[in-house]
Amino acid sequence: MRARPTRRRPATTSGAAVALALGLGLALGLGPAPALAHEGDGDVATNTRGARVATAGTGERMSFVANLQYDRSGEAQQGSDIEFARIGGRDYALAGTLGKGLQIIDVTRPRTPKRVAVFDCDISQGDVQVWRHRHRVLASYTADGSVGAAGAASQCGQDLELAADDAGTVILDLTVPSRPRSVSWISVPEGSHNMTIHPSGRYLYNSNSDLLTTGAEPEVAIFDVSVPSRPRKVQDYRLPFVPTSLGSESHDVTFDRTGDRAYVAALSQTLVLDTSDPARPRQVGQIVDPAVNVVHQADPFSVRRADGSWRRLLIVTDERAGAAASLECPGGGLHVYDVTGGLERNPVKLGAWFIDAFTVQDGATCTSHVLRVYPQQQMLTIAWYAQGVRVLDISGLATATGGPTTLAFGDGIGMREVGSFAFADSDTWSFKTNRINRDGSFFGYGNDLVRGFDVYRFRGLADRRVPALVPRDLRPPKPRRTTAAALAPVAVLVPSAAVALWLRRRQKVCSGPGKVPARTSSA
């Protein structure tokens, strides 16, 4: 049987709903379940599909547009992370997979996505980061566990001479998207669950997401990639050991726009780091929240109050039980903290938000997963595994109040679900967009463990306008000649023309009566 999407109901915090949504797992003795998502080959699909994926589903202000399969097997497509890059005037989705390589998909025309290349790198997790380095477009692609025989035999393994027991991250060149090529290998024996590029483009922070059983010295490995062909390890930055949840290792790192702060989602804790010197981070704050089972992602953003002041907030996702198949929806939710100014040292919780879906699952995972915040638009997109994809309006967070026990389902604590779509065979890992129109409408892209690459259309916000989100082109600019270089040919031509004119006049004079024609040297 399959977990089927449920229709939205009015938000509620009734005792029955809370008991089902939050207490059923504890009542049945779940606790921290084994987290297959964080070791070895990464997540596994928990939903099922037919030979063809479903094309009809349930949605609110959203519609299904297109699907692209990564192979013709008719089986789980193993989609994982997704990122975007605009290169040479065209938009590309970079869709990671568990063992099927990096899928490079042209989404310039979102209704007809077209795969232009596959980076042949048979490794698992497939977390993607992309950045510009001088005149090149680079990306990182992660191996959570060892690359295995298949990874070593694939093109990236051969290019980089990888052994089956190697683990870490590949750096590749995407300057020509149709011809991706290997650049270098970053060895991380503990594995790379996620890699995060610092806004400077000079440093990568590694998250291994290992479990408590691997040791009591959690760390974030920091690498200098200013010379991409020769990445250099800077240090292992030690994290506090918090023996709760599944462990204390970093699962993911998010930098703020300036690069001065990093927010470390470390399974049992969330850390705020001062990264104004990214080679030597310094801990500023820490959140240990017993209401969060598995700290999966921590994303900062700012919202402007009516008086013109700014409020700094942090959204932490709870990947309950590490995405092990869950017994109930909505699973883990979004936990919101105020980190404005000095509050970053001791963040203040505003509450927790959950999707408005209350079901008993039949094995398919239901919990929050990869999100993206769009600060200027005050919007958020998130994947919720078997419950598909969601769009939130978070503009209300500018004035929201609450506390550690405040719960919201669908609408509350300043966040309101404004769009959703789910199929019977949904198992969506990540959901993001690269463009947003002024009415809030956009084409969104889901990367799904079961379905592969999905395109959705969100109809937009009904009650407000937003600044347009337009991607910056990472294409290396064509080398431009300096003014001196551009004028050099003119500088040569002008004297040459003057000499030629003088010689011509001289020739006429010398060619008069009784004169011998002048001779010019050919030297």
Side-chain angles (χ1 to χ4, degrees):
M1 295 179 65
R2 299 172 181 165
R4 298 190 177 274
T6 58
R7 295 186 180 276
R8 293 180 62 202
R9 301 175 0 185
T12 177
T13 55
S14 69
V18 174
L20 177 59
L22 302 178
L24 183 57
L26 294 175
L28 296 179
L30 273 180
L36 300 178
H38 303 288
E39 288 198 330
D41 293 333
D43 277 9
V44 294
T46 59
N47 212 340
T48 58
R49 55 169 283 180
R52 295 181 181 275
V53 296
T55 56
T58 302
E60 295 284 345
R61 295 189 66 81
M62 290 186 71
S63 57
F64 168 63
V65 175
N67 173 268
L68 189 150
Q69 298 283 283
Y70 300 143
D71 62 29
R72 299 180 180 178
S73 67
E75 299 177 350
Q77 296 295 289
Q78 307 297 349
S80 60
D81 191 30
I82 190 169
E83 280 299 341
F84 304 95
R86 182 167 176 80
I87 304 173
R90 302 196 69 82
D91 292 333
Y92 296 92
L94 310 174
T97 67
L98 309 182
K100 296 182 184 292
L102 176 62
Q103 310 283 320
I104 303 169
I105 303 168
D106 188 329
V107 293
T108 308
R109 296 181 176 178
R111 295 187 183 277
T112 55
K114 180 181 178 182
R115 180 169 46 211
V116 298
V118 178
F119 179 57
D120 180 20
C121 198
D122 189 357
I123 60 181
S124 197
Q125 180 64 14
D127 180 69
V128 186
Q129 293 276 274
V130 60
W131 67 98
R132 178 173 166 175
H133 178 78
R134 296 179 182 172
H135 300 304
R136 303 163 72 186
V137 179
L138 302 178
S140 57
Y141 195 60
T142 65
D144 195 8
S146 59
V147 302
S154 63
Q155 190 61 54
C156 71
Q158 296 180 51
D159 293 342
L160 302 171
E161 300 180 348
L162 301 181
D165 59 353
D166 281 335
T169 292
V170 174
I171 295 180
L172 61 143
D173 191 316
L174 289 173
T175 308
V176 181
S178 60
R179 296 196 299 274
R181 60 185 183 86
S182 307
V183 174
S184 60
W185 170 252
I186 298 176
S187 178
V188 185
E190 300 84 1
S192 292
H193 193 73
N194 289 305
M195 270 283 189
T196 308
I197 187 71
H198 185 266
S200 67
R202 293 193 57 190
Y203 297 93
L204 278 170
Y205 278 41
N206 183 77
S207 299
N208 65 56
S209 196
D210 282 348
L211 303 185
L212 186 64
T213 54
T214 60
E217 294 185 347
E219 64 193 25
V220 170
I222 302 173
F223 297 89
D224 183 333
V225 292
S226 56
V227 181
S229 60
R230 296 191 300 276
R232 177 179 61 85
K233 188 170 187 177
V234 176
Q235 66 156 310
D236 287 324
Y237 178 76
R238 298 296 182 187
L239 306 181
F241 177 60
V242 180
T244 61
S245 182
L246 302 177
S248 303
E249 295 283 5
S250 175
H251 176 280
D252 200 6
V253 175
T254 303
F255 291 100
D256 70 358
R257 183 180 57 83
T258 66
D260 286 344
R261 289 292 184 272
Y263 300 85
V264 183
L267 301 181
S268 60
Q269 60 184 326
T270 305
L271 301 173
V272 182
L273 304 184
D274 180 338
T275 51
S276 52
D277 181 353
R280 288 177 286 275
R282 179 177 58 85
Q283 183 176 322
V284 174
Q286 180 185 33
I287 303 170
V288 179
D289 187 344
V292 182
N293 179 240
V294 175
V295 179
H296 169 268
Q297 185 176 350
D299 278 27
F301 64 100
S302 297
V303 288
R304 197 165 194 166
R305 300 184 181 99
D307 63 2
S309 62
W310 290 91
R311 189 183 202 184
R312 185 77 161 170
L313 297 163
L314 185 67
I315 294 183
V316 172
T317 59
D318 179 2
E319 188 185 17
R320 199 182 64 76
S326 53
L327 293 179
E328 94 293 332
C329 274
L334 310 184
H335 298 254
V336 185
Y337 306 85
D338 193 332
V339 292
T340 306
L343 292 181
E344 69 176 355
R345 296 180 177 84
N346 293 287
V348 175
K349 188 171 186 178
L350 297 181
W353 184 96
F354 301 83
I355 62 171
D356 185 23
F358 306 99
T359 64
V360 176
Q361 295 295 98
D362 56 4
T365 296
C366 177
T367 192
S368 64
H369 204 227
V370 175
L371 66 74
R372 173 144 294 168
V373 176
Y374 309 90
Q376 288 190 319
Q377 294 72 28
Q378 296 180 25
M379 298 172 68
L380 179 154
T381 58
I382 188 168
W384 214 280
Y385 283 107
Q387 285 293 325
V389 300
R390 309 279 162 156
V391 181
L392 276 64
D393 180 342
I394 58 174
S395 58
L397 283 169
T399 57
T401 59
T405 61
T406 304
L407 302 179
F409 297 89
D411 187 357
I413 63 165
M415 303 200 299
R416 175 170 56 97
E417 184 175 290
V418 292
S420 65
F421 203 96
F423 298 98
D425 54 8
S426 288
D427 206 351
T428 313
W429 173 303
S430 53
F431 175 56
K432 306 172 186 176
T433 187
N434 62 331
R435 291 179 176 271
I436 299 177
N437 299 317
R438 288 186 57 81
D439 63 359
S441 65
F442 61 81
F443 287 96
Y445 305 92
N447 203 4
D448 194 292
L449 285 160
V450 169
R451 298 175 51 81
F453 184 79
D454 283 315
V455 183
Y456 301 90
R457 176 69 174 170
F458 172 59
R459 297 210 314 258
L461 300 169
D463 55 358
R464 65 183 180 94
R465 307 280 286 179
V466 301
L469 174 65
V470 180
R472 179 172 62 95
D473 201 319
L474 298 179
R475 177 185 58 186
K478 293 181 179 180
R480 299 180 62 183
R481 292 184 297 179
T482 63
T483 302
L487 292 176
V490 178
V492 172
L493 288 174
V494 171
S496 298
V499 171
L501 180 62
W502 179 81
L503 289 174
R504 186 176 180 182
R505 289 178 177 175
R506 178 73 175 168
Q507 183 177 4
K508 286 182 179 180
V509 172
C510 294
S511 297
K515 299 291 182 179
V516 178
R519 296 177 61 188
T520 58
S521 172
S522 60

